[in-house]
Amino acid sequence: MQGNAQQQAYDRGITIFSPDGRLYQVEYAREAVKRGTASVGVRTEDGVVLAADTRVRSPLLERESVEKLHKIDDHIGIASAGHVADARQLIDFARRQAQVNQLRYGEPIGVESLTKGITDQIQQYTQTGGARPFGVALIVGGIENGEPRLFETDPSGTPYEWQALAVGGNREDLIDFFEAEYRDDLDLDGGIDLALRGLDTVGDEGIDPEGVALGTIDVETEQYRRHETEEIKQYVEEADIGGDEE
Amino acid sequence: MQGNAQQQAYDRGITIFSPDGRLYQVEYAREAVKRGTASVGVRTEDGVVLAADTRVRSPLLERESVEKLHKIDDHIGIASAGHVADARQLIDFARRQAQVNQLRYGEPIGVESLTKGITDQIQQYTQTGGARPFGVALIVGGIENGEPRLFETDPSGTPYEWQALAVGGNREDLIDFFEAEYRDDLDLDGGIDLALRGLDTVGDEGIDPEGVALGTIDVETEQYRRHETEEIKQYVEEADIGGDEE
Amino acid sequence: MQGNAQQQAYDRGITIFSPDGRLYQVEYAREAVKRGTASVGVRTEDGVVLAADTRVRSPLLERESVEKLHKIDDHIGIASAGHVADARQLIDFARRQAQVNQLRYGEPIGVESLTKGITDQIQQYTQTGGARPFGVALIVGGIENGEPRLFETDPSGTPYEWQALAVGGNREDLIDFFEAEYRDDLDLDGGIDLALRGLDTVGDEGIDPEGVALGTIDVETEQYRRHETEEIKQYVEEADIGGDEE
Amino acid sequence: MQGNAQQQAYDRGITIFSPDGRLYQVEYAREAVKRGTASVGVRTEDGVVLAADTRVRSPLLERESVEKLHKIDDHIGIASAGHVADARQLIDFARRQAQVNQLRYGEPIGVESLTKGITDQIQQYTQTGGARPFGVALIVGGIENGEPRLFETDPSGTPYEWQALAVGGNREDLIDFFEAEYRDDLDLDGGIDLALRGLDTVGDEGIDPEGVALGTIDVETEQYRRHETEEIKQYVEEADIGGDEE
Amino acid sequence: MQGNAQQQAYDRGITIFSPDGRLYQVEYAREAVKRGTASVGVRTEDGVVLAADTRVRSPLLERESVEKLHKIDDHIGIASAGHVADARQLIDFARRQAQVNQLRYGEPIGVESLTKGITDQIQQYTQTGGARPFGVALIVGGIENGEPRLFETDPSGTPYEWQALAVGGNREDLIDFFEAEYRDDLDLDGGIDLALRGLDTVGDEGIDPEGVALGTIDVETEQYRRHETEEIKQYVEEADIGGDEE
Amino acid sequence: MQGNAQQQAYDRGITIFSPDGRLYQVEYAREAVKRGTASVGVRTEDGVVLAADTRVRSPLLERESVEKLHKIDDHIGIASAGHVADARQLIDFARRQAQVNQLRYGEPIGVESLTKGITDQIQQYTQTGGARPFGVALIVGGIENGEPRLFETDPSGTPYEWQALAVGGNREDLIDFFEAEYRDDLDLDGGIDLALRGLDTVGDEGIDPEGVALGTIDVETEQYRRHETEEIKQYVEEADIGGDEE
Amino acid sequence: MQGNAQQQAYDRGITIFSPDGRLYQVEYAREAVKRGTASVGVRTEDGVVLAADTRVRSPLLERESVEKLHKIDDHIGIASAGHVADARQLIDFARRQAQVNQLRYGEPIGVESLTKGITDQIQQYTQTGGARPFGVALIVGGIENGEPRLFETDPSGTPYEWQALAVGGNREDLIDFFEAEYRDDLDLDGGIDLALRGLDTVGDEGIDPEGVALGTIDVETEQYRRHETEEIKQYVEEADIGGDEE
């Protein structure tokens, strides 16, 4: 109770520290991320896998319009979790950054460089007054100099590089799952299998191929590719997971 | 009581997160939408149907001035629900976007592109200080590349694509109704019938043809057309619904 | 009591929603309108009638300086109710709009177009911080394409078109009166008679011809005309209403 | 007590409405006006009379420096009451308006036009944030098209035209006095007599010719003229009023 | 207690009126003036006298650096009381005004005109947000058209003209003293005598010639002249006042 | 409790002093620094050593992406502790400063000059409103005129020069350790040994070579060099420290 | 307790007066100055002495980096006390002022003129919103027209000229010491002796030559000179003061 009252004094102001050095608004933005369904990313030797839980509330709602996987450039994709409208702003920002880089330097933007451009943008909203932080976490995947790269941006504006990760709801469980199951020598199909098996562990009903978005960027083509539902169904069948429809 | 006090701390500030990651002002703007009468949209193979409950408080008030259906461009219409004055701002914004697109690229704006332009505008008002969110939801319908498209914008600035939907008062009941009655192979008349039957379920008295606005965009002409009251009466009669005046 | 405390939390901030989706400052601005004396408008086949209760507190105060009827352009007049100084700002805004339209397009501004320009201006003051809403309601009357038009602007910035209406004090009673007495086939004299009889019902003493302002715009001349007190006296006598001085 | 608490919630914010539609800061500015000594204005057929109570706290203080009567242009004077420093700002504003009018149109500014320019300025300070209202009321008197005109500006920014009025302390009593004593056919001397007799009723000691400022603008010369103390003494003697020094 | 609570509601906001029409921040700025030691001014037929109590806390502190008497232009001096750093800003403002006047019009600025420029500046800080009022009062003395003039500026921004006055600590007592002792036919030496005898009445120890600053502007030379301590000692001796060191 | 309540009054406002002259937001930013893992710096005759604890929460997280050691220019490196996203901003600022210096003056920036540029930037965020302080401390090391230099920047914006220091968690213990163990005549290997032995004392498990970042700038090459994990392992072995894996 | 509550109402707002005319933020900034160690200044016939207590918390911290004595121009030095990062801003400001003066007028800036430029800067931060006052006091010493000058700037922005003074911790005691010991006819060595003996009285351990910074500007060379530790040791020995190391 005391704790609550004291806490309130600091979390109402957007950009100030609490006595123990925390930024409450940033921590609450993390809660906004957790309210979204999960998105995952897996890095393999052959490329990067991005997947997202896109289950919808109503059969009349077009699944494709629940945007959680986004092509940023030929060689980079982003999976998001959290406040959808906020994510759209950062996705637009990322696309503009990619275009500007191409125009200015005549070459595709690097995955790490793009990620840090995004986190700088996010950080600004946590330090300067007049706006709230972004309630969204992103998984940035792509090929850079022939190497697959996989990054996370969190609401504080910190970039992290991962082998495999999850953002959004059930993040902790999914990362535990990946820590147990991930192997360095996965090929792209192995990465897809791992990502889908991860999403299958979330919720009571198991994975629904129609409620999943899947994208990959392989090191050979360096092209982001969105996978069709039919492909996903096949992967799910091969993984022997999913709900009662198999 | 505790809950109320805690809640107040977060919903007074426009653009900040609550400890559980919610944006109260956006949620309250959703309540403003619910205070308005319902508007519905139905997508069929032949085109898009927009309809709105435009019952007025006084017989002296001109029904046409209760604007809930708006022509944006030749091939796009919008139905709104919620705070009327806010809706007018977004409608004006949408019309300017459509004009600018025509001028700049020499071709009509896409339905999805227009929708996302509107949601970006809405999102700005939820993140940056100095203004409140828009208390309005829109149904954006039109033809894009020969295909009927039907979108929703909500007060958070998230775009959704639907087969059939409702915004405003009684949204939940209407969507339940559409989920039960919608079929993929509806023709435009079937879509009109579904929309009107939906609006008929709202309130105690059933639908009043003079208290309904109806607009359609068919794939053949790609022209938004507002339907006269006489036409609506005929549709209502054919649907065998409505109040005691039939 | 609880209710009051909760309410206070939301009505102090100018531009934010309450948990039930209301904008209290706009609702309080509506109260400011009710504190003013009534103004009425009646649309007839032959033209538009605007009338206002302009009773003054002191016999030394010049009635004409209690401005409630305003000529905006040759063919448009406005009656106001509520905070007088606020009304003056909107009247000036309307006049500038009319002049700009004439200069830019070489033709008089439309009544509907002018009304919507005013409501857009009003809406801005309800969404963006740093100012309070306008505490005023306007009745905009005029001739457009040979047709009489009659609009209302309210403090939320919503435009409505009416056949007959009242704003300010006793609005509800006056609209009830008009709903009972209004007929579609009124001529201009009939409209004047209706407007004056309406104002006669307000207060204990009945209408005082010297305490009423009357303006009309007829479809033939398309000219706004302010009526002299002598004329008003005659109308009052014919209507067999008014205080003990008849 | 309850009332006080509720009231405080609204009067602290400069530019917001209370639940009953009032602007407390404007009402408090009216109190600031009442704290000043009275100024009066009388309109007669031959011209306008402005007079002000300029009693000073110390015999060492120069009466003339207690500015309550101001020449604005050859044909216009202003009497003020309330917060002196605020009044100075509006007086300067009025003088600039008069000069600009002369420069731009080559003719003297109209009394009504000047008054409305002042009230527009006052209104801005009651609607837009970042400043408080002006704590001052003005009596604007002058000749326009050969006619004497007499206006009041109040802290809300509303202009009123009067035959005779008072602002500042004892306003109510003085207006009652004028309502009883004013006659339409007063000549300028009659107006001076009325103004001075009015000021004589205020306070316990009766009028002191040295503690009164008197200015007139007559229709013949259309010139504002400040009257000397000797003249005022004569008028006071003729009126058979004043303190024990007569 | 109640009173305190209610008062706090109004005095925290810089530029708003209290329910009884007062501006608390301005009144508190007056208290800041009273916290300073006294400065006095006396107008005589031959010129103006400015004097200030400049007693210092430590013998190591240079008396001259306790600035309370300031030359503004050849013919104008200012004595200040209150918040020293604030006074410096207004003094700089006054000097710039004097220079600008000389440059623009090729003649020295008038004493009254300068005073009013200063009070306009002061008033701005009491009406517009974002700054506090100036905690200082000034005595402006000089020669204008061959006449000695003596003005006061207070923290509200009101200009007053005086024959003799005091600002700062003990103002009331000093003005009482001047009211009793001042005569219209004083020559400059008589004015110096009066000023010094006034300052002698303040405090327990009587006047200390080394703790007094004295400046005069006589009508003949129209030059501000700062008097040396030796001169002051002689005046004090002649007046037969001062502490035990005589 | 009292203390807490009083404290809250001052730490909520970003840039104001408490009654005892403290800036709470700056002190809380120091707490944010302590929440981060430790970074250390050691200055030797032969060069500067920077080292940082980079243990990660998950084996899937790439250690390199936990950025705590940063190359700023050929001859300057920075180790950071605290809020990671804030550190990135200051690092970017430092790199821009170094580039600008090279471009403008054609020579590398001095270590002290760079440090003071950074602390000026930090100070701005503690005095001017609209933003919070930076929650980060930096250790700036490099070669200037052939001399090794080692600076600290703290959240108040104060620069300090050290022989050996630590920032972040366990700062006090680490400085105690360095005060006991540091010798003036250390060579670069001795400095590395001291830095690693310092980090070994932190936490329960001792140092993990894979969880440490190490950088040096030696006076001979004047080049910042990041050391590989293998090198670090060798140093750790030679120092006979670290966890159970040796 | 009451007192505390009332006080809090005024000290939270940066730039407003309390009911008794005080500016609490400025007074709290004075407390920030007292939290720093002492700096002293002594003016002699031959020049000015500046000295500062620069004891450090850790033997690893370079004493020179604890900046309390600053060369501003060839002929001017400044000693500071209080918030170090704030002091740096004012020092930079002073240096820029000196350079600008040299460039603009081709001659060195005067000591008094520089001091007043600094205090004007300080005052701005106490009157205008959006920033806190500077938590620092400065002693400005130098030669002007062949004369030694010694000024103080305090957090209110008031300049004072002294013969000898102290700022920071133990100010009162040190000024008492100087009042007792200062003589007008001191030569520069006498001034150094007085300054060091003053600092020796502070704290329990007496002066430590390595923990003192000493600078002088003599009238002959008009050059600021920083003294080496060895010199200081000699002065301390001659004064027969200091801790147990002598």
Side-chain angles (χ1 to χ4, degrees), chain D residues 194-214:
Chain D
L194 183 65
L196 296 179
R197 283 196 293 131
L199 290 178
D200 184 58
T201 66
V202 174
D204 302 330
E205 304 155 34
I207 201 168
D208 166 10
E210 296 199 337
V212 169
L214 178 68

Side-chain angles (χ1 to χ4, degrees), chain C residues 185-200:
Chain C
D185 59 355
L186 285 173
D187 61 7
L188 199 58
D189 276 358
I192 292 171
D193 174 76
L194 183 65
L196 296 179
R197 282 196 293 132
L199 290 179
D200 184 58

Side-chain angles (χ1 to χ4, degrees), chain C residues 128-197:
Chain C
T128 312
R132 60 167 173 80
F134 285 94
V136 70
L138 303 180
I139 301 175
V140 187
I143 310 297
E144 183 166 1
N145 300 326
E147 294 295 322
R149 307 293 297 272
L150 185 66
F151 289 92
E152 176 197 6
T153 74
D154 81 343
S156 79
T158 308
Y160 298 102
E161 186 163 16
W162 294 84
Q163 293 172 302
L165 86 154
V167 293
N170 302 97
R171 172 189 168 98
E172 308 304 329
D173 294 343
L174 280 162
I175 287 185
D176 285 350
F177 174 83
F178 287 149
E179 288 184 5
E181 301 280 332
Y182 183 81
R183 291 195 331 273
D184 280 357
D185 59 355
L186 285 173
D187 61 7
L188 199 58
D189 276 358
I192 292 171
D193 174 76
L194 183 65
L196 296 179
R197 282 196 293 132

Side-chain angles (χ1 to χ4, degrees), chain C residues 89-166:
Chain C
Q89 303 311 309
L90 288 177
I91 296 302
D92 283 355
F93 176 83
R95 284 176 180 149
R96 282 195 305 271
Q97 293 288 98
Q99 286 171 0
V100 164
N101 197 86
Q102 186 68 54
L103 285 169
R104 201 171 285 168
Y105 307 110
E107 58 182 34
I109 197 168
V111 184
E112 183 166 4
S113 163
L114 174 66
T115 302
K116 291 185 175 174
I118 297 170
T119 53
D120 285 351
Q121 174 78 349
I122 293 171
Q123 193 272 350
Q124 291 298 313
Y125 280 74
T126 74
Q127 185 169 24
T128 312
R132 60 167 173 80
F134 285 94
V136 70
L138 303 180
I139 301 175
V140 187
I143 310 297
E144 183 166 1
N145 300 326
E147 294 295 322
R149 307 293 297 272
L150 185 66
F151 289 92
E152 176 197 6
T153 74
D154 81 343
S156 79
T158 308
Y160 298 102
E161 186 163 16
W162 294 84
Q163 293 172 302
L165 86 154

Side-chain angles (χ1 to χ4, degrees), chain G residues 36-141:
Chain G
T37 52
S39 289
V40 301
V42 177
R43 195 184 74 194
T44 72
E45 288 186 343
D46 300 343
V48 177
V49 180
L50 301 174
D53 181 342
T54 57
R55 272 172 297 182
V56 294
R57 295 162 299 172
S58 165
L60 296 173
L61 187 56
E62 295 285 349
R63 283 167 193 281
E64 293 78 38
S65 76
V66 181
E67 299 174 304
K68 296 191 61 187
L69 239 55
H70 320 259
K71 179 178 175 180
I72 302 305
D73 204 343
D74 281 352
H75 63 306
I76 300 180
I78 288 184
S80 60
H83 196 64
V84 178
D86 285 13
R88 282 185 44 75
Q89 304 311 308
L90 288 177
I91 295 303
D92 283 355
F93 177 82
R95 284 176 179 150
R96 283 195 304 273
Q97 293 288 100
Q99 286 172 0
V100 164
N101 196 86
Q102 185 70 52
L103 285 170
R104 201 171 285 168
Y105 306 111
E107 56 182 36
I109 196 168
V111 184
E112 182 166 6
S113 163
L114 175 67
T115 302
K116 291 186 175 173
I118 297 170
T119 53
D120 285 351
Q121 174 78 349
I122 293 171
Q123 193 271 351
Q124 291 298 313
Y125 280 75
T126 74
Q127 185 169 27
T128 313
R132 59 168 173 79
F134 285 93
V136 71
L138 303 180
I139 301 174
V140 187

Side-chain angles (χ1 to χ4, degrees), chain F residues 209-220:
Chain F
E210 296 199 338
V212 169
L214 177 68
T216 53
I217 313 106
D218 68 80
V219 291
E220 216 152 305

Side-chain angles (χ1 to χ4, degrees), chain E residues 11 58 62 65 67 130 132, chain G residues 10 15 43 116 129 161 179:
Chain E
D11 53 23
S58 165
E62 296 284 349
S65 77
E67 299 174 303
R132 60 168 173 79
Chain G
Y10 301 101
T15 59
R43 195 184 74 194
K116 291 186 175 173
E161 186 164 14
E179 288 183 7

